[in-house]
Amino acid sequence: MEQEIVLKKQRQGLSFLKPLIMKLSPKINKGSLVSFLKKSGITLLSVLLFIGLWHMGAKALYDVEAEYKIEKALAERGQEAADAERACIASGDSSCQPNTLPSPSQVWASLQSLIADHQVITADKAAFVEKMAATNAKLIAQGKDAIVYTGRASFLDIIFTSIKTVFAGFLLALLIAVPIGIIIGLSPSLRSAFNWFIQVFKPVSPVVWYLLVFMIVKTLYIGDSSDNAFVISFISVGLCAMWATLVNTAMGVSSVDKDYINVAKVLKLGTFQKVFKVILPSSLPLIFTGLRITLSVAWMVLIAIELLAQSQGLGLFVWEEFQNGANDSNSKIIVAMFVIGIIGFLLDRFMLTVQNMVSFNKNEAV
């Protein structure tokens, strides 16, 4: 009885904290929580289903190629060779394993291998910098260039190179497409005059854009021994991806409410004031829709352009692994595929967030 009285007093003594706790604690709606758990459960099930189907498909393809290798050995070298081939495959020896679609476990192992490889390369870079610190200090004091690390790039370095390239291309597309879109959006005559130009060059393949940029950059940098792969890559990406922003900007500017334009005339705003205070704020939702599409297109075409330009990004990584044909090359290609998809998704979510911040329509987008 005494213990109950003490507990009751303790609860009463803490009762003054109840309003604060209620204020600080998040209000959980039971319906939204159930909906969230339901969506999460469905997503998890779909992921598990995907992995299961992937595993079964990889196993089926493995068996098909393994059986083919055994039958080929039997036909060409006899039963003893076929038995030896079967035993070699069963042992897991990398020299005789079927080179087909890797399983989820193989892809996971390749991801861990790439991460471990990154750690080794990072340690090598740090050791090189420490070793060359005194020498580089002397070279810099003499006005010469420092000696830089020229070893192989790690997988994370390759990812950062691709991200840097796509953002440089995206910035170039923005700087070209938005001003031109504003200019032709302000004039129906200019829109009609430049419509053919947009319609002709918008569907051009990224491979063709790369070749065009290569012709120009090669001439401008003639006699220069520096590596121009990055310059060629980001310019090609920007030119190939800018068209959605150009079209959306022109459409947004041309569709500004005429009442806003009349108010600007009444207030006697100059051309630049009218553009920056009236037209651009009204056009921002459409402009950002175009920028979102541009960033997505830039990331998609980047892989092909990096391959052609021999730029040390994900595109070249995938091609080199395909050409390499090592036992884990297919797994590394699948790792790169997932990385490309995840980064593309994150870039799209980033642009969608920015778009929703400036858009009048806050509806949820897919």
Side-chain angles (χ1 to χ4, degrees):
M1 185 69 181
E2 292 180 357
Q3 290 179 346
E4 292 180 0
I5 294 172
V6 170
L7 290 172
K8 186 176 181 181
K9 287 182 177 179
Q10 288 177 346
R11 287 195 295 267
Q12 290 175 347
L14 296 174
S15 61
F16 73 95
L17 293 175
K18 186 176 180 180
L20 180 62
I21 294 171
M22 293 293 291
K23 185 175 181 180
L24 294 178
S25 61
K27 295 181 180 179
I28 300 175
N29 185 290
K30 185 177 179 180
S32 62
L33 178 61
V34 171
S35 177
F36 171 76
L37 292 175
K38 184 177 178 181
K39 288 181 179 179
S40 301
I42 292 173
T43 302
L44 180 60
L45 285 175
S46 67
V47 170
L48 294 175
L49 177 63
F50 171 76
I51 294 175
L53 291 173
W54 174 12
H55 175 77
M56 290 188 293
K59 181 66 169 60
L61 292 172
Y62 179 92
D63 292 341
V64 168
E65 189 162 343
E67 191 62 31
Y68 171 77
K69 289 169 72 72
I70 294 169
E71 290 179 358
K72 184 179 180 182
L74 176 63
E76 294 178 354
R77 290 172 289 160
Q79 185 62 47
E80 186 177 347
D83 293 339
E85 187 74 24
R86 189 188 305 274
C88 183
I89 292 172
S91 68
D93 188 348
S94 61
S95 63
C96 56
Q97 292 300 301
N99 189 23
T100 183
L101 177 68
S103 66
S105 59
Q106 289 174 314
V107 172
W108 177 251
S110 291
L111 174 61
Q112 293 176 314
S113 173
L114 288 169
I115 293 173
D117 188 54
H118 168 73
Q119 293 171 344
V120 171
I121 293 174
T122 301
D124 289 344
K125 286 181 181 178
F128 176 84
V129 170
E130 184 178 355
K131 181 180 178 181
M132 300 302 299
T135 303
N136 283 337
K138 292 179 182 178
L139 290 172
I140 293 172
Q142 296 171 4
K144 300 178 180 179
D145 294 332
I147 301 173
V148 296
Y149 180 82
T150 56
R152 63 194 181 97
S154 71
F155 187 60
L156 290 182
D157 295 332
I158 289 169
I159 292 173
F160 288 130
T161 298
S162 289
I163 292 174
K164 180 177 71 173
T165 304
V166 81
F167 272 109
F170 174 75
L171 181 61
L172 177 66
L174 186 152
L175 293 175
I176 294 175
V178 172
I180 294 177
I182 292 172
I183 292 171
I184 65 176
L186 290 171
S187 170
S189 300
L190 286 177
R191 282 202 303 279
S192 299
F194 282 94
N195 183 57
W196 71 268
F197 181 84
I198 296 171
Q199 299 305 322
V200 167
F201 288 101
K202 184 172 65 172
V204 172
S205 166
V207 176
V208 179
W209 281 116
Y210 162 77
L211 295 174
L212 175 64
V213 173
F214 177 79
M215 296 174 201
I216 297 171
V217 172
K218 175 179 68 73
T219 305
L220 293 176
Y221 282 83
I222 193 166
D224 190 345
S225 60
S226 60
D227 184 12
N228 301 320
F230 173 74
V231 176
I232 294 171
S233 295
F234 89 80
I235 293 176
S236 302
V237 168
L239 293 178
C240 187
M242 71 177 188
W243 303 100
T245 298
L246 177 59
V247 171
N248 276 40
T249 301
M251 186 183 302
V253 170
S254 64
S255 60
V256 173
D257 194 328
K258 299 302 179 186
D259 291 338
Y260 297 160
I261 304 297
N262 293 332
V263 169
K265 290 180 180 178
V266 170
L267 295 176
K268 296 182 179 179
L269 297 179
T271 303
F272 286 101
Q273 287 181 313
K274 182 172 71 173
V275 168
F276 286 101
K277 291 186 177 181
V278 178
I279 293 174
L280 271 182
S282 302
S283 309
L284 277 180
L286 267 178
I287 293 174
F288 270 91
T289 299
L291 289 173
R292 182 185 171 193
I293 298 171
T294 290
L295 186 57
S296 298
V297 172
W299 184 248
M300 284 191 292
V301 303
L302 172 71
I303 306 305
I305 288 174
E306 281 182 334
L307 189 157
L308 293 169
Q310 297 292 293
S311 178
Q312 288 294 329
L314 286 166
L316 186 60
F317 172 83
V318 169
W319 180 249
E320 287 180 342
E321 287 298 332
F322 176 74
Q323 294 288 89
N324 185 22
N327 191 52
D328 61 346
S329 290
N330 289 355
S331 299
K332 289 180 179 179
I333 291 172
I334 301 299
V335 170
M337 183 188 75
F338 277 105
V339 169
I340 291 167
I342 290 169
I343 294 175
F345 170 76
L346 293 176
L347 291 175
D348 183 71
R349 294 298 98 176
F350 167 74
M351 286 304 301
L352 179 61
T353 301
V354 177
Q355 178 185 344
N356 286 336
M357 290 171 61
V358 301
S359 176
F360 302 116
N361 184 8
K362 305 297 181 183
N363 293 333
E364 183 179 0
V366 177

